[in-house]
Amino acid sequence: MDISLIICTRNRAAQLGPCLEAVAGLRFDGSWELVMVDNGSTDATRATIEAFRVRVPFPVRIVHQPVPGLGNARNAGIAAAESALVAFTDDDCYVAPDLLTRVVAAFAQPDLGYVSGRILLHDPSDYPATINESTQPLRFPPGRYLAPGAIRGANLAFRRAALDAIGWFDPLFGSGARFPAEDVDAAGRCSLHGWAGAYDPSITVSHHHGRKARHVRGLFRDYDYGRGAYHAKLLLHDRAAGAALRGWAGLPRRMRARPSTLWWEVAGAARYARCHFGQGSSS
């Protein structure tokens, strides 16, 4: 396979239909596969994926990972994937038809370990969160601090060799686990291991997240919490004090926007420290 597309899902059978229809519309001249990870669903998710598999011409692998957490789920998808490039999107996203072509083209750069793409707001009535509509390409040099938000997991791809170098995703991180920010944690560790990264706006998905203004307070709180854990991990696990200090240097600016950021970042850092010293980090 030239590339594997991995989608993790949990109890979203109703939303999967449009996501999978967009996947069915992918146009790619090489060989590829879809890896669907059912992260312990109790609804009709499995049946929805099975019905999709029998009517499409490309391979669809179905993986069951009962342990909740997006880091766990993505690792299960990586283990099942058969290609040297793995791309991720979410079960509430609609991929552009040329997504795989664009991802493979980006990895023509041999030093590139990860690439993130543009995430458009599908429904204009949704709050403009968890998106990145910038049209400005970016390059992330190896060995540098990677800021949360610079890349996003709803449109993210890795070279398999870069993931192997870091031991894949940390199961402590990701939606459904202890800390959000599994995306920047994995990409940031790739950077620390000498891989370059990029933001390529030609790689596009639309995000149909359904969140309204009343939902974002909790969302931003979770992001702050995950950011604190990410920065603590840079210091304690990755021994990257310079990168951690760069992250913390932006705290006053973030507090001006949301004063509660201080509390939640400290709380996330403290909980990660307890995990690190009490149980050890899992990656």
Side-chain angles (χ1 to χ4, degrees), residues 209-262:
H209 59 70
R211 298 182 183 94
K212 309 304 178 184
R214 65 184 181 275
H215 300 133
V216 298
R217 181 177 180 182
L219 179 68
F220 289 149
R221 177 198 63 208
D222 291 346
Y223 284 171
D224 293 339
Y225 191 77
R227 185 186 298 109
Y230 168 58
H231 291 151
K233 185 178 180 182
L234 285 172
L235 178 66
L236 299 174
H237 179 271
D238 300 317
R239 304 294 190 267
L245 289 172
R246 282 199 64 187
W248 286 324
L251 184 55
R253 171 182 50 80
R254 295 192 294 272
M255 288 175 59
R256 286 194 295 271
R258 288 194 309 278
S260 62
T261 290
L262 174 63

Side-chain angles (χ1 to χ4, degrees), residues 41-270:
S41 298
T42 56
D43 64 358
T45 290
R46 180 70 181 233
T48 301
I49 300 170
E50 291 279 9
F52 179 75
R53 177 165 65 174
V54 300
R55 67 180 180 83
V56 293
F58 48 83
V60 179
R61 299 180 183 275
I62 304 176
V63 180
H64 182 63
Q65 168 54 278
V67 180
L70 190 54
N72 276 318
R74 289 190 164 179
N75 286 343
I78 296 165
E82 292 193 347
S83 59
L85 300 177
V86 291
F88 296 92
T89 192
D90 290 343
D91 57 6
D92 56 0
C93 290
Y94 311 140
V95 296
D98 63 351
L99 180 130
L100 299 180
T101 301
R102 298 286 189 176
V103 170
V104 171
F107 281 107
Q109 304 173 64
D111 65 332
L112 197 70
Y114 62 93
V115 62
S116 184
R118 198 173 180 209
I119 304 172
L120 305 176
L121 187 66
H122 177 76
D123 184 345
S125 71
D126 288 347
Y127 191 88
T130 63
I131 60 171
N132 186 352
E133 297 186 325
S134 172
T135 59
Q136 179 65 47
L138 296 173
R139 177 86 171 179
F140 307 117
R144 304 282 185 87
Y145 167 71
L146 184 67
I151 58 93
R152 294 186 182 274
N155 189 357
L156 182 60
F158 291 88
R159 195 181 299 276
R160 180 66 174 262
L163 284 172
D164 289 344
I166 65 168
W168 302 3
F169 287 86
D170 187 337
L172 290 176
F173 283 72
S175 177
R178 294 184 181 180
F179 311 105
E182 87 294 336
D183 45 9
V184 70
D185 172 66
R189 285 185 287 125
C190 287
S191 176
L192 294 177
H193 279 74
W195 292 94
Y199 169 73
D200 183 341
S202 74
I203 305 168
T204 305
V205 306
S206 295
H207 198 179
H208 196 181
H209 59 70
R211 298 182 183 94
K212 309 304 178 184
R214 65 184 181 275
H215 300 133
V216 298
R217 181 177 180 182
L219 179 68
F220 289 149
R221 177 198 63 208
D222 291 346
Y223 284 171
D224 293 339
Y225 191 77
R227 185 186 298 109
Y230 168 58
H231 291 151
K233 185 178 180 182
L234 285 172
L235 178 66
L236 299 174
H237 179 271
D238 300 317
R239 304 294 190 267
L245 289 172
R246 282 199 64 187
W248 286 324
L251 184 55
R253 171 182 50 80
R254 295 192 294 272
M255 288 175 59
R256 286 194 295 271
R258 288 194 309 278
S260 62
T261 290
L262 174 63
W263 162 252
W264 290 111
E265 288 197 25
V266 169

